[in-house]
Amino acid sequence: MNEDNLWWLKEDGYEARLHKHYEGLFTQGNGYMHVRGSFEEGCSDAPQDEEYLRFPDNVTLEKPRHPKSKQGTFIPGIVAQHPLLKEEIVNLPYMLGLEFRSGDEALDMDRCRISGYSRRLDLRDGRLHRSFLWETKEGMQLKCTYSRYLSMADTHLCIQQVQLEVLAGEGRLEVKAALRADVRTNGMNHFARVVPSAEPGDCISLETLTEEGNRIFMLSALEASEAVNWQAGHTPVMAALRGECRLNTGDRLTVSKLTAVTTDRDMEEGTVRDRALAQLSRARKLGREQLYNRHADCWKRKWQAADIRIKGDDAAQLSVRASIYHLIRSNREEDDRVAICAKGYAGEAYFGRYFWDTEINLLPFFLHTHPQAARNLLLFRYNTLDGARRNAQKYGYRGARYAWESSISGEEQCANWQYADHEIHITADIVYALYHYVRATGDDEFLERYAVDILVETARYWCDRVDWNREGEGELLSVMGPDEYLPFTRNNAFTNRMVKFSLEQTVACLDSLEDGKRDSYAAAAARLDIRPGERERFRHTAEKLRLPYDSRSDIVPQSDDFDSYAEVDFASVWTDRSRPFGHFISQERNYRSKALKQADVLELMMLFPQEFTRAQLKASYAYYEPITTHDSSLSAAVHGIVASWLGQKEAAGAFLQRVMDIDLSAEKKGAAEGIHIANCGGLWQLIVYGFAGLKSAMWSESIELEPRLPEGWEKLSFTLAWRGERYQITVNPDTYEVQKLNGGNLVAGTTV
Ligand code: BGC
């Protein structure tokens, strides 16, 4: 296959029913801002300003609005309040607007005579290209070529270019460039004030004030290769420049739009307007070529650290690059006030909130490709510790309780009480991730400077949350584990093990600080007001917290009461396996049945592999997999990893396919509401932990591999950051190699 095809996500031929999926899949971003892959001219029959009230619902099963198109422009951190659903990231004004008209015919992919349509997103540099032939009613044949990108180097800039070449005919063509605020977020208008203006030198601006008081300034400069005589033409919610020109056969009209976006949340000084003007004038001085080179260099560096190369499976190659692309663009490495939301800033569906996905599914990728980004993601949790304290207080507990769905200030936003009240494992998952970071990077200082506050405060919460039984054991009652189809279980194995781990580490951290770093200990004790006896309480709770399993049972029970739930006759209930199981059963019945939404015990085994025997892994996989619906996109990758560890190549291959399809399969339209970013991290883990068999840095001091490549894979290679060094890993079907990138230190072995 041509090497380019291993870097391009493609859409050949336009189909309206798939458009929304491609809008999600082709989302572009640079950490600072993100835009969905919508058309510059929009779509007919797809209004963006429809107002409606979205109610609390199960997001996995909810029927989304906007079947054809939903544009999306997101800047992490710009949020507003939904009256029923709490905080949501604001869908900002649409900056991409470039519309063309010939006579009374507006260019539209559905209504015009379009042929040869194709789009491709180049994953190497994040540029989106579109080309097609437009045969206008007036008899012109126009070859139209679009390209656009959000600069990775100059993150406030969006750079667009359209070229129309007249292959036959002649006539007048109108152009309209717009910045439009007729945009709603989940049906809500969050804009308190919109000010469209014409600016000197063929520029327009749109200043938007959100209900929360955030100010967003968009400033576009237009350039055309032909004289189009731009004229301002605003409406109350749109800044626009219109122009027209006459074209003859052979003519080429090139229109460029350069937009600078600034907000009052940016960390730079000065008004939003002044900064946007400065950005634009700097960009114009740099010129198109330099702007592009700076951008492409940034992407290149990111790919050097993160690319995974697979020989022998082009579909997997492209798929993992698509995942890595979305992981890279979703991350804002220098801003620890935001993390990565569950839809990877590619849609409105999960309101831009932060879940355990970040710590458990995404973090490993960043730990081993870009440790600074991993640190930042964890600093976000440190920065939102006060929000977590308020959550604990609201529930009547001491300490800190992290939100199941976190706002940018850390407070609980989940509008469904089942999850908000019961899916408490997130608080311990964060501690697991803190350790993972420290172990993978060797950044021990992070523990004493930041993590210790989270450890102590969450330990206080756990001590209050635990109930004590007559045998003197601590229990966690009424808990939802990772499997969201059982909301009120007793002693969920995953949760209890995570909490025990979290308490154990708190004690160990305090012990070692007191022994080795008395100043740090004294500072932490004063800052956190650590009382005499508190550490003993943590230790006692850790020791006595019940685990609903032991080494005697091969099948690890998901919870103490798991066995008492009703069996499901899947064949009669789930009659169409292409749709989620949850569509075929009422929530009430689902909540009392043994049907898992996603990996739960297997997730536990993946995170604590050394604590389970192979017999337990095998028996638990054999028991749980058939009763797991995989209705959550977090499930398939974990199952693939476990299947690979068990040497079940066929099953592992089937899960790999499933993971790849989650966002990439157009037929399933998986990316329509946004990217399943946890699954992107899951694919990385499936390849690195599953197929290359890397032992997690949590439990291994050095790089240890136990590779099992899927059928047909001739070679797998990637670089890995590990404790301050970078390594090149190469796995062949029978052998593997680990080489330190700056020379020396070669480890080789044979695959299993
Ligand atoms: C899953 C959760 C996940 C959330 C956000 C849900 O469907 O069950 O585990 O955290 O989606 O991705």
Side-chain angles (χ1 to χ4, degrees):
M1 196 190 248
N2 169 354
E3 176 65 12
D4 283 344
N5 286 329
L6 302 174
W7 285 102
W8 286 345
L9 289 183
K10 288 197 284 190
E11 179 194 21
D12 284 320
Y14 169 74
E15 273 190 74
R17 69 183 180 95
L18 302 181
H19 181 56
K20 200 174 172 192
H21 163 73
Y22 283 110
E23 283 182 325
L25 186 64
F26 290 163
T27 297
Q28 297 170 282
N30 56 21
Y32 173 74
M33 58 184 175
H34 306 268
V35 283
R36 278 168 65 86
S38 306
F39 295 143
E40 287 73 0
E41 68 279 8
C43 271
S44 49
D45 308 321
Q48 298 295 313
D49 56 355
E50 210 188 321
E51 296 201 356
Y52 55 89
L53 200 56
R54 190 172 161 194
F55 289 93
D57 204 344
N58 180 320
V59 184
T60 318
L61 305 176
E62 191 179 4
K63 208 166 167 29
R65 309 282 290 228
H66 301 282
K68 190 168 167 193
S69 157
K70 185 70 181 129
Q71 300 168 350
T73 309
F74 305 106
I75 295 190
I78 306 278
V79 296
Q81 295 301 314
H82 185 284
L84 299 177
L85 303 167
K86 308 191 185 181
E87 183 179 291
E88 60 178 353
I89 189 162
V90 178
N91 197 341
L92 295 172
Y94 192 63
M95 64 179 148
L96 302 175
L98 275 175
E99 300 165 27
F100 295 93
R101 178 180 279 274
S102 150
D104 63 356
E105 184 189 11
L107 173 64
D108 179 272
M109 292 301 101
D110 271 322
R111 298 204 167 145
C112 299
R113 274 185 72 180
I114 302 292
S115 55
Y117 169 101
S118 107
R119 282 206 291 176
R120 56 173 210 274
L121 176 69
D122 192 331
L123 301 169
R124 274 171 297 210
D125 63 5
R127 274 197 300 180
L128 181 62
H129 304 270
R130 173 167 56 137
S131 57
F132 55 87
L133 187 78
W134 175 22
E135 290 178 66
T136 69
K137 282 192 201 153
E138 295 193 340
M140 271 199 286
Q141 279 189 20
L142 293 164
K143 188 175 165 217
C144 309
T145 318
Y146 291 63
S147 92
R148 68 180 195 228
Y149 65 97
L150 301 185
S151 170
M152 195 48 111
D154 304 290
T155 54
H156 294 278
L157 298 179
C158 170
I159 294 124
Q160 297 173 259
Q161 191 169 63
V162 184
Q163 194 182 77
L164 291 98
E165 185 184 344
V166 188
L167 300 186
E170 54 179 49
R172 298 199 76 75
L173 203 71
E174 281 175 45
V175 192
K176 180 173 135 191
L179 295 166
R180 23 190 340 153
D182 50 349
V183 176
R184 303 289 176 269
T185 311
N186 286 308
M188 303 301 302
N189 181 5
H190 289 307
F191 304 143
R193 200 155 69 95
V194 176
V195 185
S197 306
E199 303 279 342
D202 297 336
C203 291
I204 44 174
S205 71
L206 189 76
E207 180 162 3
T208 310
L209 189 71
T210 68
E211 285 166 328
E212 298 275 288
N214 281 122
R215 204 171 282 279
I216 298 100
F217 197 83
M218 293 176 168
L219 173 67
S220 297
L222 273 300
E223 268 175 37
S225 59
E226 304 283 321
V228 297
N229 187 21
W230 297 108
Q231 303 281 331
H234 306 316
T235 73
V237 290
M238 177 176 71
L241 282 182
R242 292 165 204 271
E244 63 170 27
C245 62
R246 191 170 173 85
L247 297 174
N248 298 313
T249 308
D251 284 351
R252 265 190 206 166
L253 168 68
T254 305
V255 179
S256 309
K257 184 176 177 188
L258 177 62
T259 304
V261 182
T262 53
T263 80
D264 64 331
R265 263 185 70 85
D266 303 343
M267 289 174 283
E268 296 98 16
E269 306 255 298
T271 67
V272 285
R273 183 191 169 80
D274 288 350
R275 282 187 282 116
L277 284 166
Q279 289 283 347
L280 207 64
S281 85
R282 197 174 134 263
R284 286 171 130 177
K285 269 189 212 125
L286 282 169
R288 292 191 74 77
E289 202 179 315
Q290 270 220 57
L291 271 180
Y292 173 73
N293 290 343
R294 288 163 59 81
H295 159 80
D297 273 358
C298 273
W299 267 109
K300 197 169 165 199
R301 278 199 302 278
K302 288 184 189 278
W303 276 112
Q304 268 164 0
D307 192 21
I308 289 186
R309 287 165 301 280
I310 300 168
K311 207 165 151 212
D313 187 342
D314 290 347
Q317 174 67 85
L318 184 62
S319 184
V320 73
R321 283 188 172 144
S323 290
I324 293 172
Y325 161 84
H326 283 296
L327 287 161
I328 291 175
R329 71 142 186 91
S330 298
N331 173 55
R332 175 133 167 84
E333 67 186 69
E334 60 284 315
D335 189 353
D336 57 22
R337 301 168 303 166
V338 293
I340 298 177
C341 71
K343 288 289 181 192
Y345 299 114
E348 296 176 350
Y350 270 122
F351 315 102
R353 296 180 194 151
Y354 309 115
F355 291 68
W356 71 315
D357 307 28
T358 318
E359 280 72 23
I360 302 299
N361 296 275
L362 309 182
L363 194 78
F365 165 78
F366 291 105
L367 284 178
H368 294 298
T369 59
H370 193 354
Q372 174 60 32
R375 186 173 202 267
N376 247 45
L377 291 172
L378 295 168
L379 280 178
F380 169 77
R381 296 298 191 177
Y382 173 78
N383 294 336
T384 54
L385 183 57
D386 275 344
R389 288 184 173 117
R390 288 193 288 275
N391 295 332
Q393 209 176 27
K394 203 178 121 225
Y395 280 94
Y397 300 119
R398 284 171 285 186
R401 179 194 198 273
Y402 279 93
W404 175 242
E405 296 184 16
S406 178
S407 67
I408 55 167
S409 62
E411 277 166 74
E412 183 62 78
Q413 302 303 312
C414 182
N416 296 331
W417 60 273
Q418 297 96 313
Y419 314 88
D421 290 357
H422 301 118
E423 204 156 356
I424 55 177
H425 61 83
I426 171 79
T427 296
D429 304 338
I430 288 170
V431 170
Y432 183 97
L434 295 173
Y435 269 86
H436 203 173
Y437 167 76
V438 172
R439 299 226 6 125
T441 60
D443 181 3
D444 294 330
E445 198 207 330
F446 189 81
L447 264 186
E448 60 192 82
R449 277 201 59 193
Y450 304 105
V452 65
D453 294 33
I454 297 180
L455 289 166
V456 170
E457 285 291 62
T458 58
R460 286 173 171 153
Y461 160 67
W462 290 123
C463 288
D464 280 5
R465 179 60 172 77
V466 162
D467 288 297
W468 295 92
N469 67 21
R470 283 193 210 98
E471 285 74 47
E473 286 175 312
E475 301 202 24
L476 287 167
L477 305 177
S478 206
V479 162
M480 181 191 269
D483 165 23
E484 295 187 336
Y485 284 168
L486 282 183
F488 321 110
T489 61
R490 289 183 52 183
N491 296 314
N492 168 255
F494 175 94
T495 306
N496 287 31
R497 182 63 193 101
M498 271 289 189
V499 173
K500 206 179 184 60
F501 173 83
S502 173
L503 288 164
E504 285 162 353
Q505 296 309 323
T506 309
V507 173
C509 173
L510 292 176
D511 284 350
S512 93
L513 281 185
E514 196 177 24
D515 285 352
K517 303 211 164 167
R518 297 203 65 88
D519 289 351
S520 287
Y521 178 78
R527 189 170 66 241
L528 298 161
D529 191 20
I530 301 177
R531 303 280 163 92
E534 249 195 318
R535 202 182 325 166
E536 269 326 295
R537 192 166 170 243
F538 301 159
R539 200 188 311 270
H540 178 73
T541 311
E543 258 168 41
K544 297 289 176 190
L545 188 63
R546 187 179 153 68
L547 293 181
Y549 58 90
D550 57 35
S551 55
R552 283 167 303 175
S553 49
D554 276 353
I555 298 175
V556 169
Q558 186 171 308
S559 55
D560 267 336
D561 51 358
F562 187 77
D563 205 34
S564 61
Y565 288 96
E567 306 279 340
V568 180
D569 176 3
F570 283 97
S572 68
V573 178
W574 198 4
T575 47
D576 175 2
R577 293 231 168 192
S578 68
R579 291 169 52 210
F581 169 77
H583 285 169
F584 294 84
I585 190 168
S586 69
Q587 178 169 285
E588 178 273 336
R589 201 170 148 208
N590 200 0
Y591 278 3
R592 55 188 168 79
S593 304
K594 273 186 213 160
L596 279 63
K597 184 176 179 190
Q598 62 205 92
D600 193 307
V601 164
L602 298 183
E603 184 90 53
L604 165 69
M605 293 180 151
M606 195 187 92
L607 297 179
F608 294 87
Q610 77 293 359
E611 295 186 6
F612 299 93
T613 62
R614 194 172 168 81
Q616 282 180 313
L617 190 68
K618 195 167 170 202
S620 298
Y621 178 82
Y623 175 69
Y624 288 109
E625 200 290 315
I627 57 170
T628 302
T629 63
H630 307 293
D631 279 2
S632 159
S633 66
L634 274 62
S635 195
V638 179
H639 281 79
I641 292 170
V642 175
S644 181
W645 287 354
L646 288 170
Q648 301 189 13
K649 281 200 174 185
E650 208 174 308
F655 280 115
L656 168 65
Q657 189 58 51
R658 221 182 158 120
V659 167
M660 293 181 352
D661 283 349
I662 285 176
D663 282 322
L664 286 192
S665 153
E667 277 316 304
K668 295 201 170 108
K669 296 185 249 177
E673 305 305 320
I675 293 296
H676 296 84
I677 200 76
N679 179 63
C680 294
L683 178 53
W684 186 91
Q685 294 193 38
L686 174 54
I687 293 172
V688 173
Y689 293 140
F691 301 143
L694 176 76
K695 298 255 165 64
S696 162
M698 279 294 282
W699 316 114
S700 186
E701 296 300 320
S702 56
I703 297 179
E704 283 182 74
L705 302 173
E706 212 175 285
R708 289 182 185 85
L709 292 190
E711 283 318 326
W713 286 29
E714 292 158 30
K715 187 170 165 183
L716 164 67
S717 56
F718 52 92
T719 61
L720 202 69
W722 186 284
R723 303 203 177 180
E725 304 281 356
R726 284 200 186 256
Y727 296 84
Q728 173 69 40
I729 315 283
T730 311
V731 182
N732 297 303
D734 305 315
T735 54
Y736 68 87
E737 243 179 48
V738 181
Q739 186 161 24
K740 211 182 206 175
L741 272 178
N742 53 6
N745 194 6
L746 186 73
V747 182
T750 47
T751 53
V752 282

